[in-house]
Amino acid sequence: MLIKRTGDIPNSEVTPQSVYMNRRKFLAGVAAATGAATLGARSVSDWLEPARVLAEGTKLGPLVKSPFSADEPPTPSKDVEHYNNYYEFGTDKSDPARNATKFVTSPWSVSVEGEVNKPRNFDIEELRKLVPLEERIYRHRCVEAWSIVVPWIGYSFSVLAKLVDPKPTAKFVAFQSYYDIKQMPLGPRAGIALPYVEGLRIDEAMSPLALLTFGMYGETLPNQDGAPVRMVLPWKYGFKSIKSMVKVRFTQNMPPTTWNIADAHEYGFYSNVNPQVDHPRWSQATERRLDGSFFGKRIKTLMFNGYGDQVASMYNGMDLRKYY
Ligand code: MTE
């Protein structure tokens, strides 16, 4: 596989864990030196530090029920948390759950920039509280022909997009994951260019179905599932749903995407779930639904993963064999 570096967050901009931990030690020292000083109910370190990110497994709520929820029983959370693709933490399905346990996701911010009138850097806690969180049960179909049903928690990406006021020149949205080789030592062996990058056409990004996701199964996201914030795009193959995002950039031109860089013949920009267009190496007509049983259940794959009513009109007149 082609290994090429993309993206524009230099590692030097990512706060190394050691610096972050030292800063916490320093702040604890300040608090001790001032004799456990408190300012109202808050300690000195609370005043000096940005808001802490909720830990993995923290209950989220209250949650609004979404009209977009599938009427299907969710896959047992054990399967969703132990059968992952997160190449920064290893390429076997069981690797991310094992290797991401110490991933530091606090502090965290997401920069939203590019062709917008109001670029902004959002602290993750600020981002999570923009509007009430919804629970959305979505089918999630991987290009490798397995699927899951997940009660995700988040809100439509369009909420965030409207806040930064895209210019008419914004035709696409580019997304970038966090990447720090010190925390992700298996990254260089992933066989794909990192940081992981993805992209959508602007109308796709503004679809109410495109979910900015902070949690699942009632709680904050586990690290291996993309903590603290990821995208979920239920009508597209799973690899479009980028994890652990740090940057969103509105662009004039179609942005590069990780799997397309790795093999353009196998992975297109659109990657809509389409049972009629086979992957060059396997059929996409059926999928194995993980359901807690040993093999899962083999079921037919639906066009746009069953979300055609909401998304098909965006592709009117497009040859979906050409734009796979
Ligand atoms: N995001 C990052 N940063 N790194 C990855 O390797 N894998 C993608 C996508 N997002 C990936 C990623 C792929 S191939 C899939 S199928 C989904 O995440 C898997 O999501 P899940 O593990 O939560 O089921």
Side-chain angles (χ1 to χ4, degrees):
M1 268 190 185
L2 180 69
I3 299 189
K4 199 159 108 187
R5 290 203 177 278
T6 59
D8 46 11
I9 292 196
N11 275 343
S12 56
E13 263 185 42
V14 174
T15 309
Q17 187 182 1
S18 56
V19 172
Y20 164 65
M21 295 312 280
N22 283 340
R23 196 164 63 93
R24 286 191 64 78
K25 265 193 216 149
F26 167 75
L27 291 169
V30 171
T34 53
T38 55
L39 302 164
R42 306 182 71 189
S43 69
V44 170
S45 63
D46 282 344
W47 279 91
L48 294 174
E49 276 198 286
R52 300 276 294 135
V53 181
L54 293 182
E56 210 184 336
T58 305
K59 281 248 171 303
L60 290 174
L63 303 176
V64 179
K65 274 265 165 245
S66 169
F68 296 115
S69 268
D71 194 12
E72 285 175 60
T75 305
S77 58
K78 184 175 64 58
D79 285 358
V80 176
E81 292 170 14
H82 292 89
Y83 196 81
N84 297 102
N85 278 332
Y86 197 161
Y87 275 44
E88 291 87 330
F89 291 108
T91 53
D92 282 350
K93 298 286 178 277
S94 58
D95 283 345
R98 204 174 32 245
N99 297 332
T101 51
K102 296 207 178 96
F103 181 33
V104 179
T105 58
S106 173
W108 193 279
S109 61
V110 180
S111 160
V112 189
E113 54 192 62
E115 301 291 312
V116 295
N117 289 313
K118 299 176 186 159
R120 254 175 85 176
N121 199 40
F122 291 86
D123 183 271
I124 185 73
E125 290 303 286
E126 182 191 6
L127 197 60
R128 197 167 44 77
K129 290 176 188 154
L130 280 184
V131 289
L133 294 172
E134 287 175 28
E135 178 172 82
R136 288 208 198 157
I137 302 175
Y138 274 166
R139 290 179 292 277
H140 183 68
R141 165 67 157 82
C142 187
V143 75
E144 295 158 295
W146 49 273
S147 67
I148 46 184
V149 179
V150 184
W152 300 109
I153 299 167
Y155 54 78
S156 297
F157 174 80
S158 62
V159 171
L160 169 61
K162 284 177 192 152
L163 220 78
V164 295
D165 191 14
K167 295 179 183 171
T169 45
K171 304 287 184 221
F172 294 90
V173 186
F175 302 91
Q176 187 178 308
S177 285
Y178 179 89
Y179 185 48
D180 173 15
I181 216 166
K182 286 193 236 53
Q183 288 208 65
M184 298 156 161
L186 296 176
R189 285 198 266 150
I192 53 174
L194 295 172
Y196 200 96
V197 288
E198 256 306 334
L200 294 172
R201 220 169 52 190
I202 186 98
D203 57 331
E204 298 181 307
M206 299 308 272
S207 160
L209 280 190
L211 192 69
L212 188 66
T213 307
F214 300 86
M216 60 186 214
Y217 297 90
E219 300 178 349
T220 47
L221 286 168
N223 290 343
Q224 66 271 28
D225 285 282
V229 62
R230 68 177 292 175
M231 291 299 291
V232 176
L233 306 157
W235 72 101
K236 292 181 178 282
Y237 291 121
F239 67 86
K240 296 292 289 180
S241 295
I242 190 167
K243 295 178 171 180
S244 308
M245 287 184 339
V246 287
K247 192 191 279 195
V248 176
R249 191 172 180 83
F250 289 74
T251 62
Q252 295 187 24
N253 300 317
M254 186 181 275
T257 60
T258 290
W259 283 101
N260 185 257
I261 296 167
D263 193 337
H265 175 62
E266 298 199 349
Y267 308 103
F269 177 82
Y270 288 95
S271 290
N272 293 316
V273 174
N274 188 344
Q276 291 148 26
V277 178
D278 288 343
H279 183 277
R281 288 183 281 139
W282 59 82
S283 161
Q284 294 291 18
T286 63
E287 66 204 52
R288 188 168 56 87
R289 171 67 52 84
L290 306 187
D291 58 5
S293 67
F294 190 69
F295 288 116
K297 193 168 58 196
R298 178 69 51 189
I299 56 172
K300 275 194 174 161
T301 291
L302 302 172
M303 187 66 201
F304 297 116
N305 202 20
Y307 294 94
D309 287 352
Q310 290 96 328
V311 301
S313 62
M314 291 194 287
Y315 309 102
N316 277 347
M318 277 174 74
D319 177 354
L320 297 179
R321 287 192 173 273
K322 185 166 169 210
Y323 297 104
Y324 53 95

